[in-house]
Amino acid sequence: MVDYSVWDHIEVSDDEDETHPNIDTASLFRWRHQARVERMEQFQKEKAELDKGCRECKRKLAECQKKLKELEVAEGGKGELAKLQAEAQQLRHEEKSWEKKLEELKKKEKNMPWNVDTLSKDGFSKSVFNVRAEEQEETEEQKEKKHKTFVERYEKQIKHFGMLRRWDDSQKYLSDTPHLVCEETANYLVIWCIDLEVEEKHALMEQVAHQTIVMQFILELAKSLKVDPRACFRQFFAKIKTADQQYMEGFTEELEAFKERVRGRARARVEKAMKEYEEEERQKRLGPGGLDPVEVYEALPPELQKCFDVKDVQLLQETISKMDPTEAKYHMQRCIDSGLWVPNARSGEGAEKGGGGGGGGGEGLYEEIRKENGAEEKGKP
């Protein structure tokens, strides 16, 4: 059986009313319509204020609970903890009060009589989105190939979008190039931001970062609505241009967090490149024994470093003769293994700092000095 009770609460149409012949019927109908519209607007305004108050209360409660957890972990003062607990309790009461008011308003809205303004709706004033069919997850190789092909085709257009500043310009450009509203564009912009930060183009990086978050917000909106991103980017711009405070705060917070992440990634990339370069240079310096001449030089006693600085073989001989033979042999062998000292080179060419080769006979020089000191006669090693 069909339930017709929904039609019991309909406000009769103006043209069904009988009016006195002396009354201007058209003016009366206009006045009634205007009064009805104003009542509806007032109701919607009250509903919006209640909804906003409820959201704000929930936000404050979430912040308070977060502070409580942080204070408990940090084992903070009891006074501050008690104050926050009391504040949280008060906010819970307020939250229940807001929710109760909202529930009452919804009941009131449900029981309101229908009229010509609520029964009829515009047939072509809404956007229709096609829900995307479930797609099979792409492999990393497929994603990489897709990204490369997309960038090769549209890199110039992506960079143009990244340089735009005004909301209207961005919306118009995406309207002309809707194919850019996709993950590939967002990924390219992220990489470009990191490249710019590495190149120390900080102002340009911040500009491109803004457009990166614009694209990310559009993609997130599409994901939440389960539609193709090209079908909802206008919704994003409509919302952001109305300067909704909560939405703008979320956008700004995400933008600042993204810029900080970009700076961190850029620093890591520079540090990695520097380490790779230093290791490459170190490998080039390694001597025949696999030691780094720079490291060997820095480990030498100051008096030996001075000999290599002035490249004076005679001074080197005199310095070694004054050292303990075991210590002298240890340092000279390390010099040979690193190439800081080249054995069997022509006598008199001197010692070279940094593996540049030198003369004096290497181990032969050490043995000669050792004999001069009479080490063998004393039975020393």
Side-chain angles (χ1 to χ4, degrees):
M1 184 175 179
V2 181
D3 182 12
Y4 293 100
S5 60
V6 69
W7 303 102
D8 293 341
H9 301 284
I10 298 178
E11 203 172 317
V12 294
S13 177
D14 291 332
D15 55 11
E16 294 181 15
D17 285 353
E18 293 182 2
T19 58
H20 193 276
N22 295 334
I23 294 176
D24 183 359
T25 305
S27 298
L28 177 62
F29 288 171
R30 280 197 301 273
W31 176 84
R32 284 180 176 177
H33 175 73
Q34 182 62 31
R36 189 163 57 238
V37 169
E38 287 176 359
R39 286 198 306 272
M40 290 168 62
E41 287 177 352
Q42 181 61 32
F43 181 83
Q44 292 300 326
K45 184 179 178 181
E46 184 182 352
K47 185 178 178 182
E49 287 176 354
L50 281 175
D51 190 52
K52 183 180 177 181
C54 188
R55 286 200 313 271
E56 182 66 18
C57 184
K58 288 178 182 292
R59 184 186 66 79
K60 288 180 179 178
L61 179 59
E63 287 180 359
C64 186
Q65 289 173 336
K66 183 181 177 182
K67 289 179 183 177
L68 267 172
K69 287 181 181 178
E70 291 173 353
L71 201 60
E72 287 170 358
V73 171
E75 298 181 355
K78 293 182 178 179
E80 183 67 20
L81 190 64
K83 183 180 177 182
L84 283 172
Q85 287 173 342
E87 185 180 346
Q89 185 67 23
Q90 178 64 28
L91 287 169
R92 288 191 193 98
H93 286 310
E94 289 182 14
E95 183 184 24
K96 288 180 181 179
S97 176
W98 283 111
E99 288 176 348
K100 185 179 179 181
K101 289 177 182 178
L102 272 173
E103 190 64 31
E104 290 174 355
L105 197 70
K106 286 177 182 177
K107 287 180 181 179
K108 182 179 177 182
E109 183 180 24
K110 189 176 180 181
N111 295 326
M112 286 176 66
W114 292 2
N115 55 59
V116 66
D117 296 307
T118 54
L119 282 171
S120 60
K121 296 185 182 294
D122 296 335
F124 300 97
S125 63
K126 63 180 179 179
S127 299
V128 179
F129 304 128
N130 295 320
V131 178
R132 289 185 293 180
E134 292 292 328
E135 299 176 356
Q136 289 185 347
E137 191 172 347
E138 297 176 322
T139 63
E140 289 300 319
E141 186 178 348
Q142 288 174 328
K143 288 179 181 178
E144 186 177 346
K145 185 178 179 181
K146 182 180 178 182
H147 177 77
K148 185 178 178 181
T149 304
F150 185 86
V151 169
E152 287 175 353
R153 184 178 299 177
Y154 300 118
E155 183 174 19
K156 188 176 179 181
Q157 293 180 354
I158 298 172
K159 285 193 169 184
H160 181 85
F161 173 76
M163 300 297 288
L164 297 175
R165 293 179 178 273
R166 298 174 64 249
W167 300 118
D168 290 336
D169 293 340
S170 296
Q171 181 177 354
K172 184 179 184 306
Y173 192 71
L174 291 181
S175 297
D176 296 336
T177 57
H179 51 272
L180 294 185
V181 188
C182 61
E183 289 282 352
E184 285 70 34
T185 296
N187 292 338
Y188 181 90
L189 291 173
V190 170
I191 295 168
W192 190 19
C193 283
I194 298 172
D195 290 341
L196 290 170
E197 185 64 19
V198 169
E199 295 166 12
E200 298 186 353
K201 298 177 180 177
H202 308 300
L204 187 55
M205 180 280 285
E206 293 190 359
Q207 164 58 36
V208 177
H210 179 275
Q211 295 300 91
T212 305
I213 300 303
V214 167
M215 188 59 63
Q216 292 286 7
F217 262 59
I218 293 171
L219 295 175
E220 285 299 319
L221 179 61
K223 193 181 294 183
S224 65
L225 296 174
K226 295 183 180 180
V227 298
D228 190 301
R230 292 169 294 182
C232 69
F233 70 88
R234 291 179 181 83
Q235 275 185 290
F236 164 77
F237 287 108
K239 195 164 188 176
I240 206 77
K241 285 190 289 187
T242 57
D244 181 279
Q245 186 178 357
Q246 190 174 3
Y247 199 67
M248 281 298 297
E249 285 176 0
F251 182 90
T252 304
E253 287 174 7
E254 181 58 31
L255 175 58
E256 292 305 315
F258 173 71
K259 287 191 287 190
E260 194 57 39
R261 290 196 297 270
V262 167
R263 295 184 187 106
R265 291 286 295 276
R267 283 193 298 269
R269 187 192 288 184
V270 171
E271 288 171 5
K272 182 181 178 183
M274 288 297 294
K275 286 179 181 178
E276 289 175 354
Y277 174 76
E278 289 170 2
E279 181 59 26
E280 186 179 335
E281 290 299 306
R282 182 179 176 277
Q283 290 296 326
K284 290 178 182 178
R285 291 195 306 262
L286 293 183
L291 296 182
D292 182 357
V294 173
E295 293 176 1
V296 170
Y297 172 81
E298 291 174 351
L300 289 175
E303 58 269 23
L304 281 179
Q305 287 183 352
K306 184 179 179 181
C307 298
F308 283 94
D309 290 339
V310 298
K311 303 177 185 177
D312 190 330
V313 177
Q314 183 64 35
L315 179 61
L316 181 62
Q317 291 175 339
E318 293 172 1
T319 303
I320 290 178
S321 67
K322 296 174 184 177
M323 294 176 65
D324 177 77
T326 304
E327 184 183 0
K329 185 175 182 178
Y330 168 76
H331 286 301
M332 288 307 295
Q333 185 60 53
R334 281 172 57 82
C335 289
I336 293 167
D337 289 342
S338 67
L340 192 63
W341 181 269
V342 180
N344 304 319
R346 285 179 300 166
S347 179
E349 288 182 355
E352 295 287 341
K353 177 183 173 184
E363 287 184 322
L365 172 64
Y366 168 73
E367 291 298 333
E368 182 182 342
I369 296 169
R370 187 168 175 265
K371 288 176 182 178
E372 287 177 359
N373 291 343
E376 287 182 345
E377 295 176 5
K378 295 178 182 178
K380 294 183 179 179

